Amino acid sequence: MGSDVVHDIIGVGFGPSNLALSIAVEEHNAGLTAADPRLEALFLERQPRFGWHRGMLIDDATMQVSFLKDLVTLRNPTSDYSFLCFLHERGRLIDFLNQKTLFPLRVEFHEYFEWAAARVAHLVAYGSEVTGVVPVRDGDGHVACFDVTSRDAAGTGPSVTRRARNISVAAGLEPHVPPGLELGDRVWHNSRLIPRAAELAAAGEPVRRIVVLGAGQSAAEAVDYLHRTFPDAEVCSVFTKYGYTPADDSPFANRIFDPEAVDVYFSAPSEVKQSLLDYHRSTNYSVVDMELIESLYATAYRQKVAGRERLRFLNISRIRDVEPGAGGLDVTVEYLPTGERQVLEADVLVLATGYRPRDLTALLGEAAKLCLRTDGDAVRVGRDHRVETVPEVSAGIYLQGATEHSHGLTSTLLSTVAVRAEEIHRSVLAGHGAG
Ligand code: FDA
């Protein structure tokens, strides 16, 4: 055991979701009245320091959510952890306002997250990868706590075990690699785009061709970034659609990200849930900001006029094979309408093929066996984000991120992190002392 402390909450992962929760806890503890219990919380993060999708911090990429949906404002508009307070502290408030936008640069929002994370650093153990969660049973078999084991991310140091009445699992999604493809020196997932591109540029070898697979926002951003970064390279964008689909960020559709929409979705029958996901998929999945679509098209057209086409779009196409080749990789691409195949000699293949929820069973270990599941084998989660467990468990497992099936599209996004943090905070308080 690391210490004798029994924490009220141990967080698994410290991205924006658990960062928002840590601030809710910090504000709770700062404003205690005699009737309120103090909450002991600790968040375990495997990265050595705070980082939010660092591999995709492209210099000119902007947020796809309003800055008012920051870590706190929808929960507590007077919080001094808001994006506006951050801007004020950095002396940029008025300069930001003059831009007349709700959508800050991604790098700037990352800076905001880092600023907020630094203020709650006493609640975080970085370099701590959670490797298992074990139920602690009393003589009657009742589980009021979990032992959470972590090791340093290199896996070299001793493991540490800490005890908690509740855990908040917000470990994010993991990069998806389509079947038949494998990551390697020349095959990257876009989640590592910036460091891998920097390594390639530093190697000093001529880069002639890069193939990017995918048609979502990350794919389009990768195509644009690589095209700018390697001015002598041809960049081929391969996807099965006819063309990129624009993201629907229109006001009525955007209401699907309102806190109230989570209530509606949660209590809807499963066929209504499915139809909502299907109707509004284009707010988030496999879609691209219109401005970027137009800019890519304009660049490609300018090149056509100039007679030097460096940006190529291989639509209605699939990658059928990837083999080592004389120029690095031989990427076989099939044009689906005719079945015709061509082999592209490429230096690198970038898989912008999305993310999938992490395997909860692997993450939670023994504790996963206590979770109830739906007929479709999804974990059953209450409206308060607490996983439904077998009756002998009073300890809480809260889930953030991997709950699209129960809480809808905002689950993996930032839109409701502040409100969700409050819901979990209240639920933990309601159960405080239970068990
Ligand atoms: P997130 O993935 O951010 O954090 C999970 C953390 O858990 C990570 O730090 C990870 O290291 C850690 N972890 C995992 N396993 C662990 C273990 N076993 N032990 C300890 N730590 C562990 N959404 C949006 O609403 N607006 C936007 O503009 C964007 N933009 C955007 C850009 C890019 C490039 C991507 C890839 C995604 C977005 N998103 C987004 C969606 C994105 O999922 C969302 O912004 C947050 O990252 C979700 O925050 P979480 O904290 O839930 O997960």
PDB file of all heavy atoms in Angstrom, residues 12-17 44-47 51-53 56 63-65 106 128-130 170-173 355 358 363 412-415, ligand 1:
ATOM      1  N   VAL A  12      -8.662   7.628 -12.728  1.00  0.00           N
ATOM      2  CA  VAL A  12      -7.797   6.883 -13.651  1.00  0.00           C
ATOM      3  C   VAL A  12      -7.710   7.715 -14.925  1.00  0.00           C
ATOM      4  O   VAL A  12      -8.690   7.862 -15.647  1.00  0.00           O
ATOM      5  CB  VAL A  12      -8.381   5.486 -13.946  1.00  0.00           C
ATOM      6  CG1 VAL A  12      -7.475   4.726 -14.922  1.00  0.00           C
ATOM      7  CG2 VAL A  12      -8.579   4.703 -12.654  1.00  0.00           C
ATOM      8  N   GLY A  13      -6.539   8.294 -15.172  1.00  0.00           N
ATOM      9  CA  GLY A  13      -6.357   9.200 -16.312  1.00  0.00           C
ATOM     10  C   GLY A  13      -6.610  10.632 -15.873  1.00  0.00           C
ATOM     11  O   GLY A  13      -7.433  10.893 -14.976  1.00  0.00           O
ATOM     12  N   PHE A  14      -5.838  11.536 -16.469  1.00  0.00           N
ATOM     13  CA  PHE A  14      -6.010  12.949 -16.113  1.00  0.00           C
ATOM     14  C   PHE A  14      -5.996  13.789 -17.391  1.00  0.00           C
ATOM     15  O   PHE A  14      -5.135  14.620 -17.625  1.00  0.00           O
ATOM     16  CB  PHE A  14      -4.903  13.389 -15.142  1.00  0.00           C
ATOM     17  CG  PHE A  14      -5.195  14.699 -14.451  1.00  0.00           C
ATOM     18  CD1 PHE A  14      -6.288  14.828 -13.616  1.00  0.00           C
ATOM     19  CD2 PHE A  14      -4.369  15.786 -14.645  1.00  0.00           C
ATOM     20  CE1 PHE A  14      -6.560  16.042 -12.980  1.00  0.00           C
ATOM     21  CE2 PHE A  14      -4.625  17.006 -14.001  1.00  0.00           C
ATOM     22  CZ  PHE A  14      -5.723  17.126 -13.173  1.00  0.00           C
ATOM     23  N   GLY A  15      -7.003  13.527 -18.225  1.00  0.00           N
ATOM     24  CA  GLY A  15      -7.276  14.389 -19.373  1.00  0.00           C
ATOM     25  C   GLY A  15      -8.309  15.414 -18.923  1.00  0.00           C
ATOM     26  O   GLY A  15      -8.577  15.567 -17.722  1.00  0.00           O
ATOM     27  N   PRO A  16      -8.932  16.118 -19.873  1.00  0.00           N
ATOM     28  CA  PRO A  16      -9.892  17.154 -19.503  1.00  0.00           C
ATOM     29  C   PRO A  16     -11.039  16.656 -18.607  1.00  0.00           C
ATOM     30  O   PRO A  16     -11.500  17.404 -17.740  1.00  0.00           O
ATOM     31  CB  PRO A  16     -10.438  17.626 -20.848  1.00  0.00           C
ATOM     32  CG  PRO A  16      -9.368  17.288 -21.831  1.00  0.00           C
ATOM     33  CD  PRO A  16      -8.672  16.076 -21.320  1.00  0.00           C
ATOM     34  N   SER A  17     -11.494  15.409 -18.784  1.00  0.00           N
ATOM     35  CA  SER A  17     -12.651  14.940 -18.003  1.00  0.00           C
ATOM     36  C   SER A  17     -12.316  14.898 -16.518  1.00  0.00           C
ATOM     37  O   SER A  17     -13.034  15.479 -15.684  1.00  0.00           O
ATOM     38  CB  SER A  17     -13.082  13.539 -18.455  1.00  0.00           C
ATOM     39  OG  SER A  17     -13.480  13.561 -19.794  1.00  0.00           O
ATOM     40  N   LEU A  44      -4.524   9.664 -11.167  1.00  0.00           N
ATOM     41  CA  LEU A  44      -3.318   8.975 -11.649  1.00  0.00           C
ATOM     42  C   LEU A  44      -3.245   9.106 -13.164  1.00  0.00           C
ATOM     43  O   LEU A  44      -4.201   8.747 -13.875  1.00  0.00           O
ATOM     44  CB  LEU A  44      -3.372   7.498 -11.258  1.00  0.00           C
ATOM     45  CG  LEU A  44      -3.543   7.239  -9.755  1.00  0.00           C
ATOM     46  CD1 LEU A  44      -3.735   5.745  -9.482  1.00  0.00           C
ATOM     47  CD2 LEU A  44      -2.342   7.772  -8.979  1.00  0.00           C
ATOM     48  N   GLU A  45      -2.140   9.630 -13.646  1.00  0.00           N
ATOM     49  CA  GLU A  45      -1.985   9.869 -15.086  1.00  0.00           C
ATOM     50  C   GLU A  45      -0.676   9.249 -15.551  1.00  0.00           C
ATOM     51  O   GLU A  45       0.368   9.481 -14.967  1.00  0.00           O
ATOM     52  CB  GLU A  45      -2.001  11.385 -15.362  1.00  0.00           C
ATOM     53  CG  GLU A  45      -1.555  11.798 -16.752  1.00  0.00           C
ATOM     54  CD  GLU A  45      -2.336  11.131 -17.888  1.00  0.00           C
ATOM     55  OE1 GLU A  45      -3.586  11.145 -17.873  1.00  0.00           O
ATOM     56  OE2 GLU A  45      -1.677  10.575 -18.801  1.00  0.00           O
ATOM     57  N   ARG A  46      -0.759   8.487 -16.632  1.00  0.00           N
ATOM     58  CA  ARG A  46       0.458   7.783 -17.057  1.00  0.00           C
ATOM     59  C   ARG A  46       1.464   8.681 -17.756  1.00  0.00           C
ATOM     60  O   ARG A  46       2.658   8.388 -17.761  1.00  0.00           O
ATOM     61  CB  ARG A  46       0.088   6.591 -17.937  1.00  0.00           C
ATOM     62  CG  ARG A  46      -0.507   6.962 -19.243  1.00  0.00           C
ATOM     63  CD  ARG A  46      -0.788   5.723 -20.045  1.00  0.00           C
ATOM     64  NE  ARG A  46      -1.430   6.094 -21.284  1.00  0.00           N
ATOM     65  CZ  ARG A  46      -1.949   5.240 -22.131  1.00  0.00           C
ATOM     66  NH1 ARG A  46      -1.915   3.958 -21.868  1.00  0.00           N
ATOM     67  NH2 ARG A  46      -2.505   5.669 -23.233  1.00  0.00           N
ATOM     68  N   GLN A  47       1.021   9.792 -18.330  1.00  0.00           N
ATOM     69  CA  GLN A  47       1.975  10.687 -18.981  1.00  0.00           C
ATOM     70  C   GLN A  47       2.833  11.388 -17.906  1.00  0.00           C
ATOM     71  O   GLN A  47       2.373  11.611 -16.792  1.00  0.00           O
ATOM     72  CB  GLN A  47       1.248  11.754 -19.794  1.00  0.00           C
ATOM     73  CG  GLN A  47       0.418  11.194 -20.946  1.00  0.00           C
ATOM     74  CD  GLN A  47      -0.171  12.308 -21.795  1.00  0.00           C
ATOM     75  OE1 GLN A  47       0.477  12.859 -22.645  1.00  0.00           O
ATOM     76  NE2 GLN A  47      -1.424  12.659 -21.524  1.00  0.00           N
ATOM     77  N   GLY A  51      -0.930  16.493 -20.753  1.00  0.00           N
ATOM     78  CA  GLY A  51      -0.878  16.602 -22.218  1.00  0.00           C
ATOM     79  C   GLY A  51      -2.206  16.198 -22.805  1.00  0.00           C
ATOM     80  O   GLY A  51      -2.754  15.159 -22.430  1.00  0.00           O
ATOM     81  N   TRP A  52      -2.725  17.039 -23.692  1.00  0.00           N
ATOM     82  CA  TRP A  52      -4.014  16.744 -24.342  1.00  0.00           C
ATOM     83  C   TRP A  52      -3.765  16.618 -25.853  1.00  0.00           C
ATOM     84  O   TRP A  52      -3.488  17.613 -26.513  1.00  0.00           O
ATOM     85  CB  TRP A  52      -5.014  17.872 -24.039  1.00  0.00           C
ATOM     86  CG  TRP A  52      -6.341  17.729 -24.732  1.00  0.00           C
ATOM     87  CD1 TRP A  52      -7.280  16.765 -24.514  1.00  0.00           C
ATOM     88  CD2 TRP A  52      -6.870  18.577 -25.762  1.00  0.00           C
ATOM     89  NE1 TRP A  52      -8.359  16.962 -25.337  1.00  0.00           N
ATOM     90  CE2 TRP A  52      -8.135  18.077 -26.115  1.00  0.00           C
ATOM     91  CE3 TRP A  52      -6.391  19.721 -26.419  1.00  0.00           C
ATOM     92  CZ2 TRP A  52      -8.932  18.660 -27.100  1.00  0.00           C
ATOM     93  CZ3 TRP A  52      -7.180  20.310 -27.391  1.00  0.00           C
ATOM     94  CH2 TRP A  52      -8.437  19.782 -27.718  1.00  0.00           C
ATOM     95  N   HIS A  53      -3.813  15.423 -26.369  1.00  0.00           N
ATOM     96  CA  HIS A  53      -3.612  15.162 -27.797  1.00  0.00           C
ATOM     97  C   HIS A  53      -2.442  15.976 -28.357  1.00  0.00           C
ATOM     98  O   HIS A  53      -2.568  16.665 -29.372  1.00  0.00           O
ATOM     99  CB  HIS A  53      -4.894  15.448 -28.583  1.00  0.00           C
ATOM    100  CG  HIS A  53      -6.073  14.665 -28.095  1.00  0.00           C
ATOM    101  ND1 HIS A  53      -6.070  13.299 -27.991  1.00  0.00           N
ATOM    102  CD2 HIS A  53      -7.290  15.060 -27.641  1.00  0.00           C
ATOM    103  CE1 HIS A  53      -7.224  12.878 -27.512  1.00  0.00           C
ATOM    104  NE2 HIS A  53      -7.985  13.921 -27.277  1.00  0.00           N
ATOM    105  N   MET A  56      -1.363  16.102 -32.034  1.00  0.00           N
ATOM    106  CA  MET A  56      -2.191  16.794 -33.031  1.00  0.00           C
ATOM    107  C   MET A  56      -2.302  18.294 -32.711  1.00  0.00           C
ATOM    108  O   MET A  56      -3.259  18.945 -33.124  1.00  0.00           O
ATOM    109  CB  MET A  56      -3.584  16.159 -33.092  1.00  0.00           C
ATOM    110  CG  MET A  56      -3.649  14.832 -33.823  1.00  0.00           C
ATOM    111  SD  MET A  56      -3.276  14.942 -35.597  1.00  0.00           S
ATOM    112  CE  MET A  56      -4.793  15.674 -36.225  1.00  0.00           C
ATOM    113  N   MET A  63     -10.283  24.935 -31.933  1.00  0.00           N
ATOM    114  CA  MET A  63     -11.192  24.088 -31.171  1.00  0.00           C
ATOM    115  C   MET A  63     -12.498  23.928 -31.936  1.00  0.00           C
ATOM    116  O   MET A  63     -12.911  24.808 -32.691  1.00  0.00           O
ATOM    117  CB  MET A  63     -11.470  24.716 -29.807  1.00  0.00           C
ATOM    118  CG  MET A  63     -10.267  24.791 -28.907  1.00  0.00           C
ATOM    119  SD  MET A  63      -9.536  23.186 -28.597  1.00  0.00           S
ATOM    120  CE  MET A  63     -10.799  22.388 -27.602  1.00  0.00           C
ATOM    121  N   GLN A  64     -13.168  22.789 -31.686  1.00  0.00           N
ATOM    122  CA  GLN A  64     -14.475  22.569 -32.302  1.00  0.00           C
ATOM    123  C   GLN A  64     -15.560  22.654 -31.251  1.00  0.00           C
ATOM    124  O   GLN A  64     -16.631  22.062 -31.389  1.00  0.00           O
ATOM    125  CB  GLN A  64     -14.471  21.218 -33.011  1.00  0.00           C
ATOM    126  CG  GLN A  64     -13.589  21.268 -34.233  1.00  0.00           C
ATOM    127  CD  GLN A  64     -13.341  19.904 -34.804  1.00  0.00           C
ATOM    128  OE1 GLN A  64     -12.718  19.061 -34.168  1.00  0.00           O
ATOM    129  NE2 GLN A  64     -13.840  19.682 -35.989  1.00  0.00           N
ATOM    130  N   VAL A  65     -15.255  23.392 -30.218  1.00  0.00           N
ATOM    131  CA  VAL A  65     -16.233  23.605 -29.163  1.00  0.00           C
ATOM    132  C   VAL A  65     -16.007  25.033 -28.663  1.00  0.00           C
ATOM    133  O   VAL A  65     -14.872  25.529 -28.676  1.00  0.00           O
ATOM    134  CB  VAL A  65     -16.036  22.542 -28.050  1.00  0.00           C
ATOM    135  CG1 VAL A  65     -14.756  22.757 -27.278  1.00  0.00           C
ATOM    136  CG2 VAL A  65     -17.207  22.452 -27.113  1.00  0.00           C
ATOM    137  N   ARG A 106      -6.313  25.375 -30.925  1.00  0.00           N
ATOM    138  CA  ARG A 106      -6.135  24.156 -30.121  1.00  0.00           C
ATOM    139  C   ARG A 106      -4.917  24.321 -29.198  1.00  0.00           C
ATOM    140  O   ARG A 106      -4.955  23.925 -28.043  1.00  0.00           O
ATOM    141  CB  ARG A 106      -5.953  22.954 -31.051  1.00  0.00           C
ATOM    142  CG  ARG A 106      -6.132  21.629 -30.363  1.00  0.00           C
ATOM    143  CD  ARG A 106      -5.952  20.479 -31.336  1.00  0.00           C
ATOM    144  NE  ARG A 106      -7.059  20.337 -32.258  1.00  0.00           N
ATOM    145  CZ  ARG A 106      -6.982  19.761 -33.450  1.00  0.00           C
ATOM    146  NH1 ARG A 106      -5.849  19.249 -33.863  1.00  0.00           N
ATOM    147  NH2 ARG A 106      -8.042  19.662 -34.224  1.00  0.00           N
ATOM    148  N   SER A 128       2.091   7.717 -13.659  1.00  0.00           N
ATOM    149  CA  SER A 128       1.489   6.584 -12.928  1.00  0.00           C
ATOM    150  C   SER A 128       0.452   5.916 -13.815  1.00  0.00           C
ATOM    151  O   SER A 128      -0.638   6.453 -14.015  1.00  0.00           O
ATOM    152  CB  SER A 128       0.790   7.080 -11.653  1.00  0.00           C
ATOM    153  OG  SER A 128       1.679   7.805 -10.859  1.00  0.00           O
ATOM    154  N   GLU A 129       0.798   4.768 -14.330  1.00  0.00           N
ATOM    155  CA  GLU A 129      -0.146   4.040 -15.187  1.00  0.00           C
ATOM    156  C   GLU A 129      -0.918   3.027 -14.354  1.00  0.00           C
ATOM    157  O   GLU A 129      -0.322   2.164 -13.702  1.00  0.00           O
ATOM    158  CB  GLU A 129       0.619   3.319 -16.305  1.00  0.00           C
ATOM    159  CG  GLU A 129      -0.302   2.477 -17.156  1.00  0.00           C
ATOM    160  CD  GLU A 129       0.307   2.054 -18.470  1.00  0.00           C
ATOM    161  OE1 GLU A 129       1.544   2.142 -18.616  1.00  0.00           O
ATOM    162  OE2 GLU A 129      -0.465   1.643 -19.340  1.00  0.00           O
ATOM    163  N   VAL A 130      -2.229   3.144 -14.385  1.00  0.00           N
ATOM    164  CA  VAL A 130      -3.060   2.215 -13.605  1.00  0.00           C
ATOM    165  C   VAL A 130      -3.039   0.853 -14.285  1.00  0.00           C
ATOM    166  O   VAL A 130      -3.304   0.731 -15.487  1.00  0.00           O
ATOM    167  CB  VAL A 130      -4.504   2.750 -13.473  1.00  0.00           C
ATOM    168  CG1 VAL A 130      -5.415   1.710 -12.827  1.00  0.00           C
ATOM    169  CG2 VAL A 130      -4.491   4.041 -12.656  1.00  0.00           C
ATOM    170  N   ALA A 170     -11.515   7.827 -16.566  1.00  0.00           N
ATOM    171  CA  ALA A 170     -11.598   8.715 -17.743  1.00  0.00           C
ATOM    172  C   ALA A 170     -10.290   8.553 -18.499  1.00  0.00           C
ATOM    173  O   ALA A 170      -9.450   9.447 -18.539  1.00  0.00           O
ATOM    174  CB  ALA A 170     -11.813  10.161 -17.312  1.00  0.00           C
ATOM    175  N   ALA A 171     -10.120   7.370 -19.057  1.00  0.00           N
ATOM    176  CA  ALA A 171      -8.832   7.012 -19.680  1.00  0.00           C
ATOM    177  C   ALA A 171      -8.817   7.307 -21.177  1.00  0.00           C
ATOM    178  O   ALA A 171      -7.851   6.981 -21.861  1.00  0.00           O
ATOM    179  CB  ALA A 171      -8.528   5.540 -19.416  1.00  0.00           C
ATOM    180  N   GLY A 172      -9.880   7.931 -21.678  1.00  0.00           N
ATOM    181  CA  GLY A 172      -9.892   8.342 -23.084  1.00  0.00           C
ATOM    182  C   GLY A 172     -10.071   7.179 -24.042  1.00  0.00           C
ATOM    183  O   GLY A 172     -10.403   6.057 -23.648  1.00  0.00           O
ATOM    184  N   LEU A 173      -9.854   7.483 -25.301  1.00  0.00           N
ATOM    185  CA  LEU A 173      -9.999   6.474 -26.349  1.00  0.00           C
ATOM    186  C   LEU A 173      -8.602   6.080 -26.809  1.00  0.00           C
ATOM    187  O   LEU A 173      -7.631   6.768 -26.527  1.00  0.00           O
ATOM    188  CB  LEU A 173     -10.790   7.070 -27.526  1.00  0.00           C
ATOM    189  CG  LEU A 173     -12.134   7.726 -27.166  1.00  0.00           C
ATOM    190  CD1 LEU A 173     -12.767   8.351 -28.403  1.00  0.00           C
ATOM    191  CD2 LEU A 173     -13.086   6.708 -26.543  1.00  0.00           C
ATOM    192  N   TYR A 355     -10.479   6.505 -33.398  1.00  0.00           N
ATOM    193  CA  TYR A 355     -10.191   6.026 -32.042  1.00  0.00           C
ATOM    194  C   TYR A 355     -11.309   5.089 -31.612  1.00  0.00           C
ATOM    195  O   TYR A 355     -12.421   5.176 -32.128  1.00  0.00           O
ATOM    196  CB  TYR A 355     -10.129   7.216 -31.073  1.00  0.00           C
ATOM    197  CG  TYR A 355      -9.023   8.204 -31.402  1.00  0.00           C
ATOM    198  CD1 TYR A 355      -9.185   9.147 -32.426  1.00  0.00           C
ATOM    199  CD2 TYR A 355      -7.829   8.180 -30.708  1.00  0.00           C
ATOM    200  CE1 TYR A 355      -8.163  10.045 -32.746  1.00  0.00           C
ATOM    201  CE2 TYR A 355      -6.811   9.070 -31.011  1.00  0.00           C
ATOM    202  CZ  TYR A 355      -6.986   9.994 -32.027  1.00  0.00           C
ATOM    203  OH  TYR A 355      -5.974  10.873 -32.332  1.00  0.00           O
ATOM    204  N   ARG A 358     -11.288   2.285 -24.847  1.00  0.00           N
ATOM    205  CA  ARG A 358     -10.344   1.301 -24.292  1.00  0.00           C
ATOM    206  C   ARG A 358     -11.121   0.116 -23.734  1.00  0.00           C
ATOM    207  O   ARG A 358     -12.272   0.257 -23.328  1.00  0.00           O
ATOM    208  CB  ARG A 358      -9.547   1.928 -23.146  1.00  0.00           C
ATOM    209  CG  ARG A 358      -8.535   2.902 -23.631  1.00  0.00           C
ATOM    210  CD  ARG A 358      -7.706   3.502 -22.518  1.00  0.00           C
ATOM    211  NE  ARG A 358      -7.088   4.717 -23.014  1.00  0.00           N
ATOM    212  CZ  ARG A 358      -6.019   4.743 -23.789  1.00  0.00           C
ATOM    213  NH1 ARG A 358      -5.426   3.633 -24.137  1.00  0.00           N
ATOM    214  NH2 ARG A 358      -5.538   5.894 -24.234  1.00  0.00           N
ATOM    215  N   LEU A 363      -8.576  -2.685 -18.344  1.00  0.00           N
ATOM    216  CA  LEU A 363      -8.204  -1.544 -17.500  1.00  0.00           C
ATOM    217  C   LEU A 363      -8.565  -1.776 -16.035  1.00  0.00           C
ATOM    218  O   LEU A 363      -7.792  -1.488 -15.135  1.00  0.00           O
ATOM    219  CB  LEU A 363      -8.924  -0.294 -18.029  1.00  0.00           C
ATOM    220  CG  LEU A 363      -8.445   1.044 -17.509  1.00  0.00           C
ATOM    221  CD1 LEU A 363      -7.023   1.326 -17.961  1.00  0.00           C
ATOM    222  CD2 LEU A 363      -9.370   2.153 -18.020  1.00  0.00           C
ATOM    223  N   THR A 412     -17.723  11.422 -25.384  1.00  0.00           N
ATOM    224  CA  THR A 412     -16.284  11.431 -25.685  1.00  0.00           C
ATOM    225  C   THR A 412     -15.761  12.846 -25.930  1.00  0.00           C
ATOM    226  O   THR A 412     -14.601  13.015 -26.293  1.00  0.00           O
ATOM    227  CB  THR A 412     -15.990  10.608 -26.954  1.00  0.00           C
ATOM    228  OG1 THR A 412     -16.696  11.208 -28.051  1.00  0.00           O
ATOM    229  CG2 THR A 412     -16.401   9.160 -26.803  1.00  0.00           C
ATOM    230  N   LEU A 413     -16.633  13.846 -25.759  1.00  0.00           N
ATOM    231  CA  LEU A 413     -16.263  15.217 -26.159  1.00  0.00           C
ATOM    232  C   LEU A 413     -16.111  16.124 -24.944  1.00  0.00           C
ATOM    233  O   LEU A 413     -16.271  15.708 -23.807  1.00  0.00           O
ATOM    234  CB  LEU A 413     -17.343  15.759 -27.113  1.00  0.00           C
ATOM    235  CG  LEU A 413     -17.518  14.925 -28.383  1.00  0.00           C
ATOM    236  CD1 LEU A 413     -18.689  15.436 -29.193  1.00  0.00           C
ATOM    237  CD2 LEU A 413     -16.244  14.921 -29.220  1.00  0.00           C
ATOM    238  N   LEU A 414     -15.833  17.393 -25.235  1.00  0.00           N
ATOM    239  CA  LEU A 414     -15.612  18.349 -24.144  1.00  0.00           C
ATOM    240  C   LEU A 414     -16.890  19.080 -23.720  1.00  0.00           C
ATOM    241  O   LEU A 414     -16.916  19.687 -22.640  1.00  0.00           O
ATOM    242  CB  LEU A 414     -14.592  19.412 -24.582  1.00  0.00           C
ATOM    243  CG  LEU A 414     -13.196  18.887 -24.918  1.00  0.00           C
ATOM    244  CD1 LEU A 414     -12.329  20.008 -25.462  1.00  0.00           C
ATOM    245  CD2 LEU A 414     -12.554  18.293 -23.670  1.00  0.00           C
ATOM    246  N   SER A 415     -17.931  19.025 -24.570  1.00  0.00           N
ATOM    247  CA  SER A 415     -19.098  19.892 -24.391  1.00  0.00           C
ATOM    248  C   SER A 415     -19.654  19.901 -22.971  1.00  0.00           C
ATOM    249  O   SER A 415     -20.071  20.939 -22.474  1.00  0.00           O
ATOM    250  CB  SER A 415     -20.237  19.472 -25.323  1.00  0.00           C
ATOM    251  OG  SER A 415     -19.743  18.957 -26.495  1.00  0.00           O
TER     252      SER A 415
HETATM  253  P1  FDA B   1      -8.380  12.048 -22.850  1.00  0.00           P
HETATM  254  O1  FDA B   1      -8.063  11.022 -23.884  1.00  0.00           O
HETATM  255  O2  FDA B   1      -8.142  13.454 -23.207  1.00  0.00           O
HETATM  256  O3  FDA B   1      -7.521  11.731 -21.545  1.00  0.00           O
HETATM  257  C1  FDA B   1      -7.385  10.425 -21.041  1.00  0.00           C
HETATM  258  C2  FDA B   1      -6.115  10.383 -20.205  1.00  0.00           C
HETATM  259  O4  FDA B   1      -6.019   9.128 -19.552  1.00  0.00           O
HETATM  260  C3  FDA B   1      -4.859  10.538 -21.050  1.00  0.00           C
HETATM  261  O5  FDA B   1      -4.083  11.590 -20.544  1.00  0.00           O
HETATM  262  C4  FDA B   1      -4.156   9.171 -20.910  1.00  0.00           C
HETATM  263  O6  FDA B   1      -2.741   9.288 -20.914  1.00  0.00           O
HETATM  264  C5  FDA B   1      -4.667   8.697 -19.565  1.00  0.00           C
HETATM  265  N1  FDA B   1      -4.646   7.242 -19.382  1.00  0.00           N
HETATM  266  C6  FDA B   1      -5.109   6.284 -20.226  1.00  0.00           C
HETATM  267  N2  FDA B   1      -4.956   5.058 -19.684  1.00  0.00           N
HETATM  268  C7  FDA B   1      -4.401   5.264 -18.460  1.00  0.00           C
HETATM  269  C8  FDA B   1      -4.002   4.367 -17.411  1.00  0.00           C
HETATM  270  N3  FDA B   1      -4.142   3.050 -17.504  1.00  0.00           N
HETATM  271  N4  FDA B   1      -3.459   4.905 -16.291  1.00  0.00           N
HETATM  272  C9  FDA B   1      -3.297   6.257 -16.157  1.00  0.00           C
HETATM  273  N5  FDA B   1      -3.645   7.136 -17.139  1.00  0.00           N
HETATM  274  C10 FDA B   1      -4.192   6.640 -18.251  1.00  0.00           C
HETATM  275  N6  FDA B   1     -13.627  17.303 -28.420  1.00  0.00           N
HETATM  276  C11 FDA B   1     -14.320  18.465 -28.351  1.00  0.00           C
HETATM  277  O7  FDA B   1     -15.368  18.499 -27.728  1.00  0.00           O
HETATM  278  N7  FDA B   1     -13.859  19.588 -28.962  1.00  0.00           N
HETATM  279  C12 FDA B   1     -12.684  19.600 -29.639  1.00  0.00           C
HETATM  280  O8  FDA B   1     -12.279  20.628 -30.188  1.00  0.00           O
HETATM  281  C13 FDA B   1     -11.933  18.386 -29.702  1.00  0.00           C
HETATM  282  N8  FDA B   1     -10.757  18.349 -30.359  1.00  0.00           N
HETATM  283  C14 FDA B   1     -10.071  17.179 -30.457  1.00  0.00           C
HETATM  284  C15 FDA B   1      -8.901  17.150 -31.189  1.00  0.00           C
HETATM  285  C16 FDA B   1      -8.193  15.960 -31.334  1.00  0.00           C
HETATM  286  C17 FDA B   1      -6.924  15.941 -32.121  1.00  0.00           C
HETATM  287  C18 FDA B   1      -8.713  14.772 -30.759  1.00  0.00           C
HETATM  288  C19 FDA B   1      -8.001  13.462 -30.934  1.00  0.00           C
HETATM  289  C20 FDA B   1      -9.891  14.792 -30.032  1.00  0.00           C
HETATM  290  C21 FDA B   1     -10.581  15.998 -29.866  1.00  0.00           C
HETATM  291  N9  FDA B   1     -11.761  16.054 -29.153  1.00  0.00           N
HETATM  292  C22 FDA B   1     -12.447  17.241 -29.077  1.00  0.00           C
HETATM  293  C23 FDA B   1     -12.310  14.844 -28.491  1.00  0.00           C
HETATM  294  C24 FDA B   1     -11.515  14.423 -27.229  1.00  0.00           C
HETATM  295  O9  FDA B   1     -11.737  13.071 -26.973  1.00  0.00           O
HETATM  296  C25 FDA B   1     -11.842  15.216 -26.002  1.00  0.00           C
HETATM  297  O10 FDA B   1     -11.461  16.511 -26.293  1.00  0.00           O
HETATM  298  C26 FDA B   1     -11.072  14.887 -24.703  1.00  0.00           C
HETATM  299  O11 FDA B   1      -9.746  14.491 -24.977  1.00  0.00           O
HETATM  300  C27 FDA B   1     -11.764  13.893 -23.804  1.00  0.00           C
HETATM  301  O12 FDA B   1     -11.124  13.998 -22.544  1.00  0.00           O
HETATM  302  P2  FDA B   1     -10.864  12.753 -21.603  1.00  0.00           P
HETATM  303  O13 FDA B   1     -10.221  13.298 -20.382  1.00  0.00           O
HETATM  304  O14 FDA B   1     -12.126  12.000 -21.428  1.00  0.00           O
HETATM  305  O15 FDA B   1      -9.873  11.798 -22.413  1.00  0.00           O
END
